[in-house]
Amino acid sequence: MSEQRFKAISESQKRHPIAIKEEGRRSDLFAKNVFNEEKMIQHLTKDALESVKGAIFSGSKIDRKIADQVAEAMKAWAISIGATHYTHWFQPLTGSTAEKHDAFFDLLPNGRALEKFGGGQLVQQEPDASSFPSGGIRNTFEARGYTAWDPTSPAFVYDTTLCIPTVFVSYTGEALDNKAPLLRALHSVDEAATAVAKYFDKNVSKVNATLGWEQEYFLIDKALAYSRPDIIMTGRTLIGGAAAKGQQLDDHYFGVIPQRAISFMKELEKECTKLGIPVKTRHNEVAPNQFELAPVFEEANLAVDHNLLLMDVMEKIADKHHFKVLFHEKPFEGINGSGKHNNWSLQTDTGVNLLSPGSTPMKNLQFLTFFINTIKAVDTYEELLRSSIASASNDHRLGANEAPPAILSIFIGKQLSHVLDELEGVSQGKLSPEEKTELKLNVVGKIPEILLDNTDRNRTSPFAFTGNKFEMRGVGSKTNCAKPMTILNTIVAKQLRSFKKEVDTLIDTKNLKKDEAVFNILREYIKTSKRIRFDGDGYSDTWQKEAKRRKLSNNKNTPKALQVLTAKKSLDLFKTMKVMSETEVRARQEVELEAYILHIQIEGRIYNELVYGHILPTTIAYQNKLIKNVTGLKEIYGAAHRTLSGGQLAIIEQIAEHIDALKKTTDAMTEARKKANKLGDTHKKAMAYCENILPYFTEIRMHCDKLERLVDNQLWPLTKYRELLFIK
């Protein structure tokens, strides 16, 4: 065993669970470090409180005097619980979060010091925008960018810093982040859904999109992780033969959580609770060392912020417990990767889930309206929705018999399919009294029977209805949920707006009553969106052929998936719904393509380092030992050595073949990378990396993994799967 690997394994065996002191009930700790409504009631004047609540509920602006009051109260509260600094916490187009800390500290002209934080610092800051991805919106020398307070997501104290969630925009006003487009999309779906919901309840004045994410992740011993350059630099193992025992016995899934992992989870949950992240569920996932946690559903913007905060907290807590947490969608070959299912619904301010079947025909007509419109929206923009989950890392996972395929389809279950088929079969035009009775009693009236457990789950479906919500299963584990949530809420908003226009037209021109107009439009939507509904095996070859016949997109890699962003249909959508300008959309496409290129470029460089710095030297050294052994046998036994050393000679030959092929393939990959780097067009460059460089990775890995099985275990330089994947 190599010295580095021996030290890493020895270090990992010293790990002991960290005892976590219990601090009472979780409910007592909840949001302890959050400047939420409860804290605002305690610290703000009535006018300031009403102003902030108005900004949260209706998007009204907060004037400067009120902002000063809020800032002073926020500062006093934060300092009282140990804060020394503040930061505008934002989401640049890197996929993660960013922050610049400033102290609550200033000097007066007389040299005296004081804690200072005013409305100006709360409402707006000016971080350097030049070094963040902008997709061409900003030149490198144009550094000015602005962060602006998002009052809909409460400030919180993390460690000793007051964190203020903000949007990030350029000097010229374009969004440079993931939060600003999400907020616009949520505003758009609020307006559109509220207008439609008023058909059924005039008291509805606001509709919130809700999100419940399910975060999957791997825990790896920190010492072992740091013995692997590929894990540290790319988040995944670029080489490594499968362990004899992986996930084939299904014994890890929902099994007893290892003691080290449960100690980590306890501290994580305590910190999350203080930060107002309502984590509720924890369990072992399918693969060894793989786990999942999930929260209570929240308003979508807040849920996105909480997921990003959670990932940061997880990394810090994991480090304390001598773990490395992996969010890569496919960190290990041959076992399941990780996703982040996004469970989405719409909730009115009157407390009604618009995607939950009701107890009366009228409530079920409301349910059908939002249910069918969502299906129609996904059918119309399925390719755009697919683009929202595209990344170099998620490409490894989608369609790998553990995650949904790259084809977008919707699973709704047999019973709801039957309901839609019955509704589709009703005659067009004005409904007869018999048809009205049939619809209300035999179709709409039956829907209360469709309970949460009355529809089966379909793990191969990318977009599944699961009783009172839609579950978007293709989202990658390290993806910022803001991206798919921006697209989903935008397309649903657009569809609901179109639906209301069509219904109102029927009412005005055909003299139909509201219910009849709604039924007529829904019936047409059922017919025209039928191709997107699929209840079968999404992994099957049959579905691939059937999807092609239905003219559904099947963009299996990121460069192809991202092309749709700048199609006229997409640009018109974003412009019409005021979610993103054409400049902002094109910038995001450029950023995503560049990120794809850079991720594969980094992996290619790591392959070079592994092959030339680890694999070839170790393999050649072992080959020399075998050759020396054969030479010794020849000196002792003469010609008879061929019989005695047949096994050694065969291994020497196999090693030689793999060494030769490995060197040639690695060199060819390097040359292909150099050639691709000369391309000026970003999309062509991304396609070159996808088609001309990625295939070499598979071949390089194959030769390395074969050599791992041939070379003496004591000499192999990299920690193996069997050592990485089982927490003690």
Side-chain angles (χ1 to χ4, degrees), residues 295-481:
V296 178
F297 285 37
E298 299 180 283
E299 185 275 326
N301 176 49
L302 182 59
V304 168
D305 282 0
H306 278 166
N307 182 248
L308 291 169
L309 177 58
L310 169 98
M311 294 168 76
D312 182 52
V313 175
M314 285 178 75
E315 290 182 334
K316 289 180 170 65
I317 302 296
D319 189 69
K320 287 176 61 177
H321 288 257
H322 311 294
F323 281 128
K324 174 74 174 173
V325 61
L326 302 183
F327 293 115
H328 194 287
E329 284 80 1
K330 192 72 174 177
F332 298 98
E333 188 75 15
I335 61 174
N336 278 18
S338 298
K340 179 153 53 190
H341 303 172
N342 277 206
N343 296 279
W344 171 89
S345 191
L346 295 170
Q347 182 94 14
T348 70
D349 59 335
T350 58
V352 175
N353 180 350
L354 294 171
L355 287 174
S356 182
S359 56
T360 66
M362 179 53 70
K363 289 181 179 178
N364 283 330
L365 179 56
Q366 176 178 266
F367 158 70
L368 280 172
T369 296
F370 286 92
F371 177 68
I372 294 169
N373 271 283
T374 301
I375 294 173
K376 177 66 174 173
V378 174
D379 176 65
T380 305
Y381 293 101
E382 47 90 13
E383 192 172 11
L384 185 61
L385 196 58
R386 159 68 180 99
S387 74
S388 71
I389 58 173
S391 70
S393 52
N394 209 21
D395 282 356
H396 293 288
R397 170 180 164 265
L398 292 179
N401 286 339
E402 66 199 60
I407 305 167
L408 252 293
S409 65
I410 297 178
F411 167 84
I412 64 173
K414 290 183 179 179
Q415 289 180 309
L416 276 173
S417 292
H418 179 65
V419 169
L420 296 195
D421 290 343
E422 281 193 300
L423 186 57
E424 181 186 355
V426 177
S427 62
Q428 296 185 16
K430 284 192 175 183
L431 303 178
S432 67
E434 292 79 11
E435 287 175 323
K436 290 180 183 179
T437 301
E438 180 186 353
L439 279 170
K440 289 189 176 182
L441 298 181
N442 297 339
V443 181
V444 183
K446 284 183 178 179
I447 297 178
E449 298 173 12
I450 309 295
L451 302 176
L452 283 173
D453 297 329
N454 218 11
T455 55
D456 198 3
R457 300 290 296 275
N458 187 329
R459 67 190 301 272
T460 72
S461 176
F463 201 84
F465 184 71
T466 55
N468 60 357
K469 62 189 182 300
F470 280 100
E471 180 181 27
M472 191 173 178
R473 301 188 70 254
V475 183
S477 54
K478 68 177 183 179
T479 299
N480 183 338
C481 298

Side-chain angles (χ1 to χ4, degrees), residues 611 616 654-668 696 699-700 702-704 707:
V611 169
L616 289 181
Q654 290 179 59
I655 289 174
E657 290 172 2
H658 287 300
I659 286 175
D660 182 60
L662 182 58
K663 184 183 183 307
K664 287 179 178 177
T665 306
T666 304
D667 290 346
Y696 284 119
E699 193 173 348
I700 291 170
M702 183 271 292
H703 290 299
C704 289
L707 288 170

Side-chain angles (χ1 to χ4, degrees), residues 446-635:
K446 284 183 178 179
I447 297 178
E449 298 173 12
I450 309 295
L451 302 176
L452 283 173
D453 297 329
N454 218 11
T455 55
D456 198 3
R457 300 290 296 275
N458 187 329
R459 67 190 301 272
T460 72
S461 176
F463 201 84
F465 184 71
T466 55
N468 60 357
K469 62 189 182 300
F470 280 100
E471 180 181 27
M472 191 173 178
R473 301 188 70 254
V475 183
S477 54
K478 68 177 183 179
T479 299
N480 183 338
C481 298
K483 290 161 57 179
M485 285 298 101
T486 296
I487 301 297
L488 179 57
N489 285 289
T490 301
I491 65 176
V492 171
K494 175 66 165 62
Q495 178 53 48
L496 289 171
R497 184 187 288 186
S498 299
F499 169 76
K500 186 174 188 305
K501 185 177 180 181
E502 291 183 63
V503 170
D504 289 347
T505 299
L506 274 186
I507 293 172
D508 294 338
T509 62
K510 301 291 184 180
N511 199 30
L512 294 181
K513 291 185 177 180
K514 179 201 66 183
D515 288 4
E516 287 186 84
V518 168
F519 275 128
N520 275 282
I521 301 301
L522 293 181
R523 183 192 305 111
E524 288 304 308
Y525 288 172
I526 292 169
K527 292 177 182 178
T528 56
S529 63
K530 209 165 186 176
R531 65 165 191 159
I532 201 74
R533 286 160 43 196
F534 177 67
D535 290 356
D537 182 2
Y539 297 154
S540 68
D541 293 334
T542 304
W543 170 234
Q544 300 278 327
K545 296 173 184 176
E546 173 63 16
K548 186 176 181 180
R549 187 191 68 77
R550 297 187 188 188
K551 297 183 179 179
L552 292 171
S553 67
N554 188 8
N555 296 321
K556 295 185 178 181
N557 61 63
T558 293
K560 288 183 179 179
L562 292 176
Q563 282 183 295
V564 71
L565 280 174
T566 47
K568 185 179 185 303
K569 180 179 175 181
S570 302
L571 294 174
D572 288 347
L573 167 74
F574 292 123
K575 181 180 179 181
T576 301
M577 304 312 294
K578 298 180 180 179
V579 170
M580 284 187 282
S581 67
E582 181 173 339
T583 300
E584 290 171 324
V585 176
R586 291 188 180 279
R588 275 155 181 74
Q589 184 186 58
E590 186 77 11
V591 168
E592 295 288 343
L593 287 170
E594 187 67 26
Y596 178 85
I597 293 165
L598 292 173
H599 276 101
I600 298 175
Q601 185 182 84
I602 290 168
E603 289 190 350
R605 290 174 174 174
I606 296 298
Y607 267 120
N608 275 103
E609 291 182 17
L610 291 174
V611 169
Y612 279 101
H614 296 267
I615 308 304
L616 289 181
T618 299
T619 306
I620 291 170
Y622 180 61
Q623 187 183 45
N624 286 336
K625 285 183 69 175
L626 293 176
I627 291 171
K628 188 175 181 180
N629 176 264
V630 172
T631 302
L633 289 172
K634 183 177 181 181
E635 290 176 357

Side-chain angles (χ1 to χ4, degrees), residues 63 235 288 293 329 668 718:
D63 68 37
L293 64 79
E329 284 80 1
L718 300 175

